[in-house]
Every structure is written in C-alpha cells, then in structure tokens.
Amino acid sequence: MIARLGGLMLLGLLGLAACLAVAVSLGSISINLLELDDVTRAILLDIRLPRALLGACVGACLASAGVAFQALLRNPLADPYVVGASSGAALGAALAFLLGLTSVLPLAAFAGAVGAMLFIVRLARIGGALPVDTFLLAGVVVGSFLWSLVSFMLTLARQDMARIVFWLMGSLADARWSQLPLILPYLVIGLGGLYYGALSLNLLTLGEEAAIPLGLPAERAKLWVLLGATLLTAAAVSVSGLIGFLGLIVPHLCRGLVGPDHRLLLPAAALGGAMFLVLCDTLARSLRPGLELPVGVITALLGAPFFFWLLYSRRRLT
Amino acid sequence: MRILSALLALALLCSCAPAPRATTPGPAQRIISLVPSLTEVLFSLGAGPRVIGVTANDHYPPEVEGLPRVGDMAPDYERILALQPDLVVADPGMQPREITRLRELGLPVLSLPSQSLSGLRKALAELSKATGTEARGQELQGQLARLKPPPGPGVRVFVEIWDKPLMTTGGGTFVDELITLAGGRNVYADRQQYPSISVEDLLLRQPEVIVLTVSQVEEARSRPGWDRLAAVRSGRIYRMEPDLLVRPTLRLPQAVEQLGGFLSP
Amino acid sequence: MSLRGSDLSCSYGSTPVLHEVSVQLEQGELVGILGPNGSGKSTLLKVLAGVLTPASGKVLLEERSLSEYRRRDLACRLAYVPQQVELPFPFRCNELVMMGRYARMLGPGLQEGAHQEAVRQAMRATGVEALADRRFSELSGGEAQRVRIAQALAQEGQVMLLDEPTSHLDVAYQLDLMRLLSSLAAQGQALAVSLHDLNLAALFCHRLVLLKAGRVVACGAPAEVLTVDRLEQAFAVRLEVQAGPPVRVFAGSQSRLGDRRVRND
C-alpha cells in the first residue's frame, strides 16, 4: 500500500507540476519565458501563478469532497453540491452583492455553504441517527428552497444580476495571492482528516448494516465525513463560485484508474482535480484572448457529455 | 503537496519584489478604460489617441474598434499589465473587487463613480486633470451646464430599458435625469434603480409617450394589453439607441435633443 | 466464549417484532434460527450482533453487555454477515476481505503487512484464494457468500452470526456453504444462522430455535424442535416428519396451508 501510494503521489505531483508549468506559460498574451522583464515577470508571478495555484487548491478541494460525498451517500452520481452547499453559497454570495458587501464575498459564500449544510443535517437527524436517504431528500428540498430565494433576490437586484450570475458560473478571475491562505488550511485539514478516515470511507460504501459490525461507529463517522467534505466544498466555493461537474467526474476517472480504495482514491482525486481545474482554467483564459470564459463553463462543457456517458454505461450494466 | 508548498514559498518571495510601476509625472500617456461611457469621455476630451485598451462592450466612437480588448465582465489582468498603462479608469459601482485587484497589481487606478449626471461632471473634471486637457474639459463642462430642464410640468414618459422581463428606470438614475432635462417626467420616478414592472401597472400609469430601447416599435405595439395604452393609440411610441440613452457621456446634449423631440407634441 | 441474549424485546415503531426471546450460543456450536417470514429471525440476529439495540433485555458476550463494548472491540470478537450487501463501487475481493481487519487497523491503515496473512488465511479457509483479484460484483452468488464469510473470518472473532446465507443459492452451493459453516464450528467458532430450509437445518445444525411472531416456539436439538405439531404451530401448515437422524421434513399430500396471518416488516 505504501509503495503504491508513494508511486501515485510521485506521479501525481509531477503531473501537477507540469500542469502548473503549462498554466503559467500560457495566457491571453504570449510571453517568452527566456526573456523576462519586470512586466512579464509580474504577469507570471502575480497573475498566472497565484491563479494556477488557487485553481489547483480549488480542484483538489472539490474532487476530494466529491469522493467523500459519493462514499457517504453510497452513490456514484453524488457531487459536492448535491446536498445544499451550492445553494447555500449562492445565497450568501447573492446577499453580499445585494448589500454591497463584495469585500466579504468569500466569507458570505463560505458561511452560506456551511450554514445550509448544518441546517440540512439538523433537519434530517432522527433521534441521533442520520439516515442517508433522509439526508439526501432534505438536501434536495432545502437546496431547491434556497435556489428559489436566490432567484427571488436576482429579480430584486437587476443591476447586479450579471455579476451574480457570472459568479455563480464559477471563475478563478479573482485569484490573487491573498486568497491562498483562505483555502489552503481547509484543504490541508479537510483532506488530511478525510484521509485519516479513508478506511471508514471504504466501510461506509458497504452500507451501515454491514459497516457497523466490522467496527465502524457509523453515526460518528458520517458526521466527520460530512464536516470534512463540507469544509472542503465551502472553501472552494468561497474563492471561486460554483465550478460544476469537476467534483463528479474526477472521482469517477480516478476510481477507474486506481480503484475504489479511498487510501489511493482520495489522493488521486485531489491531484487529478487540481490538474483538471488548472488545465480547464488555462483554456478559459486563453481561448478568447481579452474575453475570458467562466471556468465553470469549460468544466461543464467537458463534464456534461461525460455525465451522459456515465448514465448510459450504467444503464447498460444493469 | 511538498512541491506545492515549495512553489508557494518561492512565489511569495518573488511577489515581495517591487511590482512594476509605470507612473510618470505629468499627463497620462497610456490609458486603459474599463467603462464604455468613460472611454467616450476620454475621446471627447481629445485624449482618445492615448487610450490603449478598452472593454469588449466598447463601440463608440468608431476609433475604439481597432483597440485591444481587455475584458468584459472580468478584466483580463495580464493583458492590462502587459499594456503597461499609466492610468486605468474604472467605476466602483460596477467593479469594486476588480479595482482592489488592479491596485494590488501596482496599477494606478482612477476610480470614478460615473453613472449619473453629477458623476459625469466629476469624471470629466478628474479625467481632464489626469490627461492634461483642462481647457477642453472646461469647454465640455460648459456644454453640460447649459442643459436645463424646460419649464412646465413635463410630459409623462415611460422608458423601457428591457423587454423580457419588462424593466424601466426608477427615480434618481442617469436615465431619469436625462428624461427631466428633455422636458419629460418619468412615470416610474417613485421606484428605485431599474425595477421590473407589470403591464397592468403600466396601464394604470398611462404614460403620454413611450420610449423603447432594445425592442422594436411594431413588436411592442402588438403585445397583449399595449393597445390599451393611450401612447400606443396616439402613435407616440418611439425607439432610441440604448447606448445613447443609458450611458452618461458627452453625447448627452444629443440625447436630450432626440428625447426632447419625441416628447414635444 | 458464549453469547447470551435474555428476554429480548424489540419493535419497529409500534409493531412488536421480538417478544422476550432468550437464546444462547456456545463455542463450537452451529445454531439454526427457523421460522416463517416475519417471525423475527433477522431482527434477532441484528440484536445479537449489536446492530440493533433491543427495547428491553440484554445481550451478554463473555458476561459483558454488548453496549459496554466499543464498536471496534466488539468487531474483534463477533462478526455479523447481513443478508445482502450492495456495493456501489467496484471493490476487489481481497480489498473486501481486508475490510474485516478494520477494527484492528489504525488511521488510514497503511501498514497492511501484518494483516495480509490474516486475509490470506481467511480466504484459504473459505476456498476463495483464487478470487482475490476479482471484482466482488462479478462473482456468482455462492462465491460472493464465501467471500463475505471470509471477511467475517478475517475479523478473527469467535462468534459469527449469518442472516439467511443460503437464500438465492442453488442446492449444491447451499450444501457447500453449510459444510463450510459446520467445519468452522468444528474449529471452535460459535455460529448462529437463520435458515428457511428445514432439512438443511436438521442436517447441519446442532441446535435449533423456532420462532413465530417474535416468540420462541421451541428450542433444542433438531429432533425435539422439528415435530409435526411444533412446525404446524410455527408455519400453520401440517408437514410430514420422518424421525432421524437426521430428521427429514417434507410436504406430503395431506399438507395444506392453515389459518396463517402474514406479518409485514
């Protein structure tokens, strides 16, 4: 296990380094990396590098949160937004725009995501237990409710509508060095915590009836996994808006590559998510020079066809 | 994660090095405008040849067509940086976070809340100072100062800003100010910002004149309920170029004249 | 090592499922739990396994109540194989058996070396070594049951509870599986297994517990439990019984369904 993990990490980190290198060397203007002056150095170090690193962090957060939610809900179609985090964050962000508090936008989105999740857990808990089905149902219902609030606020704030919608589509355009400390601690703590419980994630996928007799304190484990995955999602959403599909497809791709054991799957997905988002964002910045696409559009453009393929192949299997 | 933190540390060190500054004393020579209306003001001041970058939404004056585009909703920071501007003009009402970011990158940003008549006057003053075109600035200020609302109660007018959903302007906006200067009275002056409204409410308010922007007169006439509007029946429904109507620029006298033409019986 | 449940009562909502049931399980013993659908067989096993907490009554493992054990400690002593497991993800058999070691691993359990031998042994004992690298979802019913028993064996406890392990298996696999269970009993395991097939129970189990509507109808050696009257009491059908050993039960021409209330659970 240690040898496989070591090999995976080495390969993944090399791949990530390569993706970061690509991201730093490409952009809406072309720069000769051998002849740098003050301006081009500033573009590389103050614009492209923080953006690439932020993209890596966000990608890692979303993909590992996706892995955790898929294990927790025992559903390969779950993603980080399946239970309210996205609608909560959207509500927080829309409020911040509406009240003109754009400087606390990340905080508002983060609070919205965590708040929505806590509310859903509270709703779905029955006598100390958190049945997964009830949780999912509560998540979907609360999510729809919060989305309708967001839509309502959008109609109130017509002049801010375009900006809110742009934010909702997900973008790393706001990337800067000062945002890395906003997300890195959550990535380290959330991913580290989930990894420490990787075996518990494995057991959760068996279902509680099978997992408990194997020694898993299921209720406690579910809450910890939920906490870790929520922090990862909220941190990602707070700096980048709602980047979709990544949290769904990267766990799948990685499961195909390294198998379903979370001891390998979690680091693989984190690294894979980082690489995927760094590359998607490079496309978003460079496809139409001077006019960037929201990176969420790129991930969805690549992700939606994949999703359909997944549905199709599942149907064929059963 | 190790490589990541190493990269991070390295980058933090590098970013401590002084960022490039292109500030030169004297009038700005390399200007980037992130607001279409301010681009127009710069051209009106005669500083047009010194504008080196505009947004994707800039179409006027025609000289902007050949200029590099540096973003639409989100500015393209690296293009802006690469163009080495000594002045970037932006609007804090539309781009609060973006202005912070541009300043972090060491760019000299002139933040001008310009989406009103008083904002336009202030922007004109600031920009003429920054570009060394004070004389032309004074002249233009004079043109604006000469605009006075005609006496009388004003013609009751409805301006359609958007069609689906139906949106108009409330009181206190630039469009509202323009209506007043042209001798009109906004039937929705009691509302704020740019409210969505219903046809029913519009029927109750019965404006004397309707001004469209994004839709065509024929299409508007055929909408359900619109045949009950006195303005439609009497044929006093017109269309105006949206940019001319909503952008606070020195084409204001022109806009006042055109709108005034629609309002006079 | 003994597992003793005394006066166990349990209900789902307001529906009572178990009513003052007492059972005992000793080392080296294979106990069959029989009864019609809805008689509480599965519930009894879940309560004995500590997955379900009884409303009243106690389960003692080595004279200590199950609730006093930490989950991990309990898993090192007692294994429970639920009726079926659905795997949403493509785990391989050796990974699945390794999960039986969860209670003995720390954190992410990267040091697997010590556990690999236990996994191999468990798979050898159940004859599934050759399936180690196969996906669990690709196995036949009989293979899958063996792998799940290997997982339970990898827990290295002395008590194993299995819920209808022979359902969905063809007759050859059923015999094969029961032989495996009785060989485990011969090695000192204490096993309780719920069964539908009365003859299979008579053939392999040392003792039988016959349930009806959550109550014990009879308990003891197969010859004492499998009598025409007791079976009729439990199943509401008159069957023919041929004295053994082994006792044989079959539906004769006289058998017919009596007044039988089917319970839902």
Side-chain angles (χ1 to χ4, degrees), chain A residues 178-312:
Chain A
S178 60
Q179 284 187 322
L180 280 167
L182 294 182
I183 186 170
L184 256 180
Y186 294 105
L187 177 59
V188 171
I189 294 170
L191 187 54
L194 285 180
Y195 193 76
Y196 186 79
L199 289 177
S200 307
L201 284 171
N202 283 350
L203 257 62
L204 276 176
T205 66
L206 300 181
E208 286 165 47
E209 208 200 354
I212 292 172
L214 291 174
L216 182 76
E219 290 307 326
R220 211 170 61 208
K222 279 190 287 184
L223 286 182
W224 278 110
V225 170
L226 199 55
L227 179 71
T230 301
L231 287 183
L232 286 169
T233 310
V237 167
S238 72
V239 294
S240 66
L242 301 181
I243 296 175
F245 279 110
L246 187 152
L248 173 74
I249 62 171
V250 172
H252 271 283
L253 289 172
C254 294
R255 203 174 285 117
L257 289 174
V258 303
D261 187 339
H262 289 86
R263 291 174 291 179
L264 294 175
L265 179 55
L266 264 178
L271 288 165
M275 288 188 250
F276 182 71
L277 190 56
V278 167
L279 292 181
C280 281
D281 185 54
T282 308
L283 279 180
R285 302 185 275 123
S286 345
L287 273 184
R288 291 192 308 166
L291 277 180
E292 91 164 59
L293 294 163
V295 67
V297 173
I298 306 267
T299 55
L301 268 179
L302 297 178
F306 179 84
F307 188 83
F308 286 120
W309 171 78
L310 189 76
L311 281 178
Y312 174 75

Side-chain angles (χ1 to χ4, degrees), chain B residues 110-149:
Chain B
L110 194 54
S111 165
L112 298 167
S114 56
Q115 301 307 306
S116 66
L117 190 52
S118 61
L120 173 62
R121 289 215 174 97
K122 190 149 176 293
L124 191 56
E126 297 255 358
L127 286 177
S128 62
K129 207 171 353 151
T131 57
T133 52
E134 286 90 344
R136 175 75 178 140
Q138 284 301 324
E139 194 183 316
L140 294 171
Q141 292 282 14
Q143 282 180 18
L144 291 181
R146 275 195 291 283
L147 293 172
K148 288 274 177 349

Side-chain angles (χ1 to χ4, degrees), chain B residues 219-234:
Chain B
E219 183 271 321
R221 275 175 187 281
S222 65
R223 292 178 193 162
W226 279 53
D227 55 343
R228 317 294 302 173
L229 286 165
V232 173
R233 288 182 163 179
S234 59

Side-chain angles (χ1 to χ4, degrees), chain C residues 34-241:
Chain C
L34 306 175
N37 291 334
S39 58
K41 300 189 295 290
S42 296
T43 309
L44 176 59
L45 284 173
K46 279 183 206 170
V47 169
L48 289 176
V51 178
L52 213 66
T53 313
S56 67
K58 245 189 187 162
V59 182
L60 298 177
L61 179 66
E62 293 173 336
E63 306 308 319
R64 261 174 76 198
S65 167
L66 286 192
S67 54
E68 289 170 33
Y69 286 91
R70 287 168 57 230
R71 282 273 171 224
R72 275 174 188 266
D73 296 337
L74 192 58
C76 293
R77 292 170 169 79
L78 182 151
Y80 165 68
V81 183
Q83 198 166 347
Q84 42 186 297
V85 64
E86 239 177 274
L87 276 188
F89 302 113
F91 280 103
R92 291 175 196 284
C93 294
N94 56 347
E95 292 172 322
L96 213 63
V97 177
M98 185 62 92
M99 290 185 198
R101 304 297 294 171
Y102 172 81
R104 295 166 197 271
M105 291 166 114
L106 278 175
L110 294 176
Q111 302 284 357
E112 277 190 342
H115 302 284
Q116 257 148 12
E117 186 47 39
V119 167
R120 245 194 310 275
Q121 240 171 39
M123 295 185 85
R124 200 178 304 136
T126 53
V128 290
E129 286 162 293
L131 304 176
D133 286 323
R134 291 268 299 280
R135 296 229 158 102
F136 181 74
S137 54
E138 297 165 354
L139 302 184
S140 72
E143 289 169 332
Q145 284 298 14
R146 282 178 165 264
V147 169
R148 295 175 60 211
I149 292 170
Q151 185 188 56
L153 275 182
Q155 289 177 245
E156 291 185 332
Q158 287 91 46
V159 181
M160 197 184 291
L161 309 170
L162 302 98
D163 196 1
E164 293 189 21
T166 57
S167 55
H168 311 302
L169 297 188
D170 68 36
V171 66
Y173 271 128
Q174 289 188 12
L175 283 171
D176 180 65
L177 192 87
M178 290 308 290
R179 267 189 215 112
L180 171 63
L181 296 183
S182 61
S183 79
L184 292 175
Q187 287 160 37
Q189 287 267 340
L191 293 109
V193 49
S194 66
L195 291 168
H196 268 306
D197 190 320
L198 304 175
N199 288 308
L200 217 50
L203 202 55
F204 290 99
C205 295
H206 304 120
R207 277 194 309 125
L208 297 176
V209 177
L210 182 59
L211 293 177
K212 191 207 175 180
R215 293 169 197 266
V216 177
V217 173
C219 175
E224 300 165 36
V225 175
L226 299 177
T227 65
V228 174
D229 290 339
R230 286 189 161 145
L231 287 175
E232 184 175 18
Q233 198 186 340
F235 292 96
V237 61
R238 197 134 182 106
L239 297 163
E240 292 175 29
V241 175

Side-chain angles (χ1 to χ4, degrees), chain A residues 160-180:
Chain A
D160 292 325
M161 196 162 167
R163 285 159 62 203
I164 299 178
V165 170
F166 191 81
W167 184 88
L168 289 179
M169 283 193 282
S171 167
L172 292 165
D174 229 21
R176 56 190 84 180
W177 283 113
S178 60
Q179 284 187 322
L180 280 167

